[in-house]
Amino acid sequence: MSETAKIPADFWFDPLCPWAWLTSRWMLEVEKVRPVQVRWHVMSLAVLNENRLDELPPQYAENMRPGGKSWGPVRVVIAAQQLHGDEVVGRLYTALGTRFHNLGEGNNRDSIAAALADAGLPADLIDYADKDTYDAELRASHKAGIDLVGQEVGTPVIAVPGPDGDQIAFFGPVVTPAPKGEAAAKLWDGTLMVASTPGFFEIKRTRTAAPSFD
């Protein structure tokens, strides 16, 4: 099937979120078994939480504050997108997520720099981790995703065109480990069926397992 015949699935992520990372790996599986093409966009947990920092655990809130560690990765990704095009976003996300989550390196300057090298991108993009050069573009990308689903969710946000042309958008799914093969296809089909039901808002249960990156 040609690329033009594939259904675009817009995916908003913050590289720091392990659950979004698992969902993104599931989406790569979905691309193999359904006529879907993922388009990657950044959103920011720091932006999402900036007006409710007092409600968060102190260390988590500190990372979310202006200048905190949570800003660095998304700033680097948005700078890469602005300077090198949309096509680098998914590649850099994969490099960052692999180092942050699968390899357990966490969010630090060394791991971001190594991810840039893994993605074949210029090393000087690391400098944007501490700059607000593209914060307006970051906020615009974040707003485009979160406006589809509302402020009461987080990352990831996924949006696909519905039968009538309007976007069907939803948060999640939150799942571990990332389903593969036919299991990935079944979750995709079921998620779209549920999300496209008029008036449907939520299915949820308590998480009983930590993120598994196997």
Side-chain angles (χ1 to χ4, degrees), residues 19 27 39 42-43 51 61 73-74 77 80 94 99 108 117 120 136 165 176 179 199 205 211 213:
W19 296 103
M27 285 303 303
R39 302 189 298 199
V42 291
M43 62 183 295
N51 294 321
V74 287
V77 177
T94 289
R99 289 190 171 273
N108 57 71
T176 187
R205 59 186 171 193
F213 309 117

Side-chain angles (χ1 to χ4, degrees), residues 1-83:
M1 181 171 290
S2 69
E3 294 296 315
T4 55
K6 292 187 176 182
I7 299 168
D10 291 290
F11 188 107
W12 282 264
F13 66 91
D14 185 316
L16 292 180
C17 179
W19 296 103
W21 173 246
L22 287 168
T23 307
S24 74
R25 300 310 91 182
W26 164 65
M27 285 303 303
L28 295 183
E29 288 290 317
V30 172
E31 283 188 321
K32 300 174 184 177
V33 293
R34 290 293 184 267
V36 171
Q37 181 68 47
V38 181
R39 302 189 298 199
W40 305 98
H41 312 272
V42 291
M43 62 183 295
S44 168
L45 291 171
V47 173
L48 184 70
N49 288 297
E50 63 185 350
N51 294 321
R52 51 191 181 204
L53 293 176
D54 292 343
E55 304 170 15
L56 303 175
Q59 185 56 57
Y60 188 76
E62 190 62 29
N63 289 336
M64 298 286 167
R65 296 186 191 282
K69 289 180 63 177
S70 296
W71 286 89
V74 287
R75 280 176 165 172
V76 170
V77 177
I78 199 69
Q81 184 265 331
Q82 292 294 307
L83 296 171

Side-chain angles (χ1 to χ4, degrees), residues 114-180:
L116 287 168
D118 295 341
L121 289 165
D124 60 3
L125 283 170
I126 189 66
D127 295 334
Y128 289 95
D130 302 315
K131 296 180 179 179
D132 63 1
T133 308
Y134 297 111
D135 278 9
E137 289 80 2
L138 171 59
R139 289 179 177 276
S141 180
H142 174 92
K143 185 176 187 298
I146 209 69
D147 280 356
L148 296 171
V149 290
Q151 293 289 330
E152 297 178 0
V153 301
T155 178
V157 170
I158 300 174
V160 296
D164 58 1
D166 291 337
Q167 282 189 306
I168 299 169
F170 49 89
F171 160 70
V174 175
V175 61
T176 187
K180 295 178 173 61

Side-chain angles (χ1 to χ4, degrees), residues 84-96:
H84 300 281
D86 293 339
E87 64 274 10
V88 307
V89 176
R91 190 166 81 237
L92 181 53
Y93 180 31
T94 289
L96 286 166

